[in-house]
Amino acid sequence: MLMLLDSASLYFRAFHGVPESVTAPDGTPVNAVRGFLDSVSFLIRERRPDRLVACLDLDWRPRFRVEAVPSYKAHRVSPRGGETVPDGLVPQVPILLDVLARLGIATAGAEGFEADDVIGTLAAAATDPVEVVSGDRDLFQVVRDDPPVHVLYVGRGVRKYEVMGEAEVAAKYGVPGRGYADFAVLRGDPSDGLPGVPGVGEKSAAALVSRFGSLDELVAALDEGTDTGFPAGSRARLAAARDYLAAAPAVARVRTDAPVSEHDDRLPAAPADPEGLVELAEKWNLDSPLNRMLGALAAVAGAR
C-alpha cells in the first residue's frame, strides 16, 4: 500500500496541537517537527504502508488557479507577500525536510503546483491501494474503488482519523468522490476563497451534481436552455454565475498531470543517514520522536 501525506496539512496541525514551548536547546521551536513525526509514526504502525511519500507544496497558490479565480487563497496572502505562516513554524519546515531526508522517507513536489496536485497525480497513476492522509476535504475527489484510493481524514486529529472512500463520501455529502470538486465549486469553500454560486447551498449543490453527473454537463444544460433537472429557482442563479462556473473547476479540481519530482517511495527499514540523524536529534531535541519513528519503521519491516 502507498501512503501519501499532505505534509503541510499535517505540520500545520502539529504546530497548533503541540505547545510552542517545546524547543531545541538553542530556543528554536520544534513543536511542529515533533508532532509531525509522532503523527507519521502512529500512521505507519497503524496502517503499515509499504511505500510512503511526504507530498509538498512547491507553490501554495499556483498562478493558473489565481488567474481562474483571483480570490483563491487571497485571504492567506501575507502583507510581505507569500503565505501567512506563524513565525514559530517558518524555521521548522527546513528542519523537518532535513529529518525526513536523513530518515530516508521520500518527499515529492512539482514546480508550480500544490501538494494536492502531487497527491492527485500519484494516486491516479497507482496500481496498488493508496491511502491519502489529510485534513483537507478537497482531496475527497481522489477516492475511488478500484484500485482503492481512500482518504484518512484527520480533521478531528490523526488518532481520530476517518477512512473515507466512495461510499463514505457519498453517504456524507450526497455525491460520489469524483463529484466532490464540482460540489465544492457550487457550494463554495471559504477556506480557499472559492465563493460558490450565491443561493446554492450544500443540499442544492449535491442535488445538482447528482442530477447532472458533473459540472460540465450542468453547464451544457444551461447553454442548451433546458429547465430539466434544475431545482426550483436554481437555474437563474446558475445562469448568472455562468462565467464563474466556467473558471472555477480549474481551481477546485486536483490535477493529475503534475510533473512530480523523482523519488524512491519505499518505506525504509532503517535510516538512510544514521550518523546525520543522531546529529539532528541532538541539535533539535528530537530523540524521543525519532526513536518512536525508528521503532515504527522497524516494526513494519519486521512484519513484511
Side-chain angles (χ1 to χ4, degrees), residues 20 28 34 37 69 75 89 96 98 112 117 123 125 136 138 146 156 183 207 217 227 229 251 253 274 292 296 299:
E20 203 171 347
T28 301
R34 291 177 69 100
L37 292 173
V69 178
H75 59 296
L89 177 56
L96 177 59
D98 199 2
D117 302 308
D136 185 352
D138 290 343
D146 186 26
R156 296 187 301 122
F183 166 76
E217 292 298 321
D227 292 328
V251 174
R253 292 175 184 168
R292 288 188 284 271

Side-chain angles (χ1 to χ4, degrees), residues 28-226:
T28 301
V30 290
N31 55 323
V33 179
R34 291 177 69 100
F36 183 99
L37 292 173
D38 279 339
S39 294
V40 176
S41 298
F42 167 78
L43 291 164
I44 289 171
R45 283 188 180 274
E46 183 84 0
R47 308 302 296 183
R48 297 185 175 272
D50 303 296
R51 299 148 57 209
L52 186 146
V53 183
C55 300
L56 308 175
D57 285 320
L58 295 192
D59 190 338
W60 71 281
R61 194 172 179 245
R63 177 179 296 179
F64 69 89
R65 290 195 165 103
V66 176
E67 289 177 347
V69 178
S71 62
Y72 180 63
K73 292 186 178 179
H75 59 296
R76 301 192 209 173
V77 177
S78 164
R80 301 185 299 271
E83 185 177 14
T84 300
V85 177
D87 290 341
L89 177 56
V90 172
Q92 297 191 60
V93 176
I95 297 170
L96 177 59
L97 295 178
D98 199 2
V99 169
L100 293 176
R102 306 295 177 107
L103 282 166
I105 290 177
T107 59
E111 292 294 337
F113 292 86
E114 299 176 67
D116 285 11
D117 302 308
V118 176
I119 289 169
T121 298
L122 294 178
T127 55
D128 297 328
V130 176
E131 291 187 343
V132 175
V133 183
S134 180
D136 185 352
R137 293 183 181 89
D138 290 343
L139 284 165
F140 290 163
Q141 65 187 279
V142 306
V143 303
R144 67 174 185 241
D145 287 334
D146 186 26
V149 176
H150 293 147
V151 172
L152 304 187
Y153 179 65
V154 298
R156 296 187 301 122
V158 169
R159 292 178 180 271
K160 296 180 180 179
Y161 67 82
E162 301 172 71
V163 180
M164 302 296 290
E166 285 277 22
E168 290 79 12
V169 172
K172 191 160 188 173
Y173 298 100
V175 296
R178 64 184 176 277
Y180 189 86
D182 292 349
F183 166 76
V185 167
L186 292 165
R187 180 203 58 189
D189 186 349
S191 68
D192 281 342
L194 199 62
V197 177
V200 175
E202 189 163 304
K203 289 184 179 179
S204 297
L208 287 163
V209 173
S210 296
R211 290 178 188 181
F212 289 96
S214 71
L215 195 57
D216 295 337
E217 292 298 321
L218 184 156
V219 169
L222 278 178
D223 292 345
E224 289 169 4
T226 179

